[in-house]
Amino acid sequence: MATDEEAPLVVENPKNQNPIVNHERDIHILSCAFLLIFLAYGAAQNLESTINTEGNLGTTSLGILYLSFMFCSIFASLVVRKLGSKNALILGSTGYWLFVAANLMPNWYTMVPASLYLGFAASIIWVGQGTYLTSTARSHASDHILNEAVIIGKFNGEFWGMFASHQFVGNLITLALMRDGEGGSTSGTTTLFLVFIGTITLGAVLMCFLSKRTGKEETGLQDSSASFFFSVVTLFKSIITLLQDIRMLLVIPLIAYSGLQQAFVWAEFTKYIVVPTMGESGVGGAMAVYGVFDAICSLVAGHFTFGLSSISIIVSGGALVQAAVLAWILLSHSVTGGVLGILYPLLIAALWGIGDGVLNTQLSALLGILFRDDLEGAFAQLKLWQSFAIAIVFFLGPYISLQTMLVIMFAALCLSMSGFLFLTLKVEKAFSYRAV
């Protein structure tokens, strides 16, 4: 008997003579490709505020990037429909390559255009990822007569577990190649970014081996005879329709909070909690711990996802963890030395990674279950509101205190969880009864 490793990419189905794609292998490829791309981009993003300090070039570039991401997310579903999810994934990887390459000669003429283009590329790669993964999970469940929600949860768990480990791997590479020099300077950045360019290239090549999806997201939506105007009108109708759906309105606050809590780690946590006690050299270690717990939690949460009831329980657990961390920092944060000065930020990083792992896996699974008839539009909404929240943190962070940010985060968490629980406990039941 052939093992999983020996199984061919396509086998014949003796019942209907139609080829069956090895869907699990596609998820393995997709997960590895994103790991290679984002271990480079994630580490580069963490370094922007440290190595590109002149005129706040690094943080300003990231703010521009996420504003571009937000705007382009409006049209991302149209692009993905026209290109197909596989082609969108490959094209999207070029933006990350260009952004990392721009760091070899960082100035306003290289970083700003690269940031603008990456906003477009990121919007289509993430809409493509959500569409591709969910379509693959559904096809796998259909081919093997399995519970669709369980397979969506399992595939999301594997993907987000692999993806979350990019923080650990990328930061280890950074620690190995970068060195502190005299006068606060650093060396090894050129070598580091060349290595990152190589990993992104490898990830993009790996995506070429993905099977082309033949589900709804790739058929019936790419009519070449349709005018661009008609396509844009259809797109805006889709956006308006989703925004009129009470389920989307109730999940948007949770989507926005997921963006806030990610940006909080990248900007506020490292600046106010890690650096004062562990120094700049400790940022890589703290983010590595964050990535490890994020990855483990993503895998575990995905394994236990089987429907809306499990999603509501898992998300509630993750929200309680992050609420406890926010209250802990707000009420008792102080800069301490010694062993506690090291353990304190590492513990916060671990707990925050647990919450992020929960939100990543469960939001993707939730949208895949609730909006199966418009995957591209649903995942475009996901990235639109996430990037909007992230951009707010990057632009407002320098002008508000840590305490103010914590209060905003706590209020956003409470609001988003209220809407989410109302959705899962009341609204979705009404939709289910109506569909029967």
Side-chain angles (χ1 to χ4, degrees):
M1 177 181 289
T3 63
D4 289 341
E5 289 76 10
E6 296 169 340
L9 179 61
V10 178
V11 296
E12 292 298 323
N13 181 5
K15 184 176 180 180
N16 56 21
Q17 299 301 314
N18 291 327
I20 298 180
V21 176
N22 189 330
H23 306 293
E24 290 182 318
R25 182 173 177 177
D26 280 335
I27 294 301
H28 300 335
I29 292 174
L30 182 69
S31 301
C32 290
F34 267 71
L35 172 61
L36 289 168
I37 291 170
F38 281 88
L39 72 85
Y41 171 70
Q45 179 178 248
N46 293 339
L47 292 170
E48 286 302 316
S49 61
T50 301
I51 62 175
N52 294 326
T53 56
E54 186 175 354
N56 293 320
L57 174 61
T59 53
T60 303
S61 296
L62 290 174
I64 292 172
L65 188 163
Y66 283 101
L67 282 180
S68 174
F69 193 173
M70 178 190 69
F71 176 78
C72 293
S73 292
I74 299 173
F75 302 94
S77 60
L78 175 60
V79 177
V80 173
R81 289 175 182 178
K82 292 298 181 182
L83 294 177
S85 54
K86 176 183 175 179
N87 292 334
L89 289 167
I90 296 171
L91 178 61
S93 66
T94 62
Y96 294 91
W97 191 98
L98 183 62
F99 181 83
V100 173
N103 277 275
L104 293 172
M105 296 183 62
N107 56 61
W108 294 103
Y109 300 103
T110 58
M111 294 299 295
V112 172
S115 297
L116 288 170
Y117 178 66
L118 179 52
F120 161 74
S123 69
I124 64 170
I125 200 174
W126 281 112
V127 173
Q129 177 274 331
T131 302
Y132 190 92
L133 186 148
T134 306
S135 174
T136 302
R138 286 178 179 166
S139 297
H140 184 78
S142 176
D143 289 347
H144 298 277
I145 317 177
L146 299 171
N147 183 286
E148 184 177 288
V150 171
I151 300 303
I152 290 176
K154 176 185 174 183
F155 282 11
N156 270 291
E158 176 181 338
F159 173 83
W160 287 108
M162 286 283 287
F163 176 81
S165 64
H166 80 268
Q167 285 284 359
F168 176 72
V169 180
N171 280 292
L172 285 184
I173 295 174
T174 300
L175 289 172
L177 296 180
M178 287 189 65
R179 295 287 183 272
D180 292 330
E182 296 180 0
S185 63
T186 56
S187 61
T189 55
T190 299
T191 302
L192 178 67
F193 286 118
L194 287 174
V195 170
F196 285 162
I197 289 172
T199 64
I200 294 175
T201 301
L202 183 58
V205 171
L206 197 58
M207 284 183 178
C208 296
F209 293 93
L210 291 169
S211 302
K212 185 175 181 180
R213 292 288 105 197
T214 57
K216 178 189 172 185
E217 82 283 357
E218 302 246 357
T219 59
L221 293 170
Q222 302 180 56
D223 184 2
S224 59
S225 63
S227 67
F228 177 77
F229 175 76
F230 177 77
S231 299
V232 172
V233 170
T234 303
L235 169 66
F236 277 100
K237 284 184 178 179
S238 174
I239 294 173
I240 293 173
T241 300
L242 279 175
L243 291 178
Q244 291 176 334
D245 191 324
I246 184 64
R247 297 173 299 176
M248 179 59 74
L249 293 177
L250 289 173
V251 82
I252 281 176
L254 188 62
I255 291 174
Y257 173 77
S258 72
L260 285 176
Q261 60 90 27
Q262 287 178 356
F264 174 79
V265 169
W266 301 334
E268 307 299 299
F269 169 68
T270 54
K271 178 180 178 181
Y272 290 108
I273 298 176
V274 178
V275 172
T277 57
M278 300 177 65
E280 291 186 0
S281 61
V283 172
M287 294 302 290
V289 171
Y290 166 78
V292 168
F293 279 84
D294 199 330
I296 293 173
C297 185
S298 296
L299 290 170
V300 173
H303 179 75
F304 287 102
T305 301
F306 53 84
L308 286 177
S309 59
S310 63
I311 290 174
S312 62
I313 294 172
I314 294 170
V315 170
S316 298
L320 285 175
V321 171
Q322 289 202 340
V325 173
L326 289 171
W328 179 19
I329 300 173
L330 186 61
L331 298 176
S332 63
H333 170 66
S334 62
V335 178
T336 59
V339 177
L340 287 179
I342 298 176
L343 292 179
Y344 182 78
L346 294 181
L347 180 58
I348 292 176
L351 293 174
W352 206 260
I354 292 173
D356 185 64
V358 163
L359 287 172
N360 283 334
T361 55
Q362 302 309 295
L363 274 175
S364 294
L366 179 67
L367 294 179
I369 293 171
L370 295 184
F371 304 101
R372 57 179 301 157
D373 294 329
D374 189 5
L375 289 179
E376 301 94 335
F379 285 104
Q381 292 281 342
L382 171 65
K383 290 306 168 181
L384 187 155
W385 294 105
Q386 273 186 341
S387 56
F388 174 71
I390 292 170
I392 287 177
V393 174
F394 278 122
F395 282 119
L396 291 184
Y399 304 102
I400 60 177
S401 65
L402 174 63
Q403 288 71 24
T404 303
M405 179 62 71
L406 291 169
V407 171
I408 293 173
M409 294 280 294
F410 198 89
L413 177 57
C414 293
L415 175 64
S416 62
M417 283 304 299
S418 298
F420 170 74
L421 291 175
F422 184 74
L423 165 68
T424 56
L425 297 177
K426 299 291 184 181
V427 176
E428 185 55 28
K429 287 184 179 180
F431 271 81
S432 299
Y433 292 144
R434 192 180 307 170
V436 173

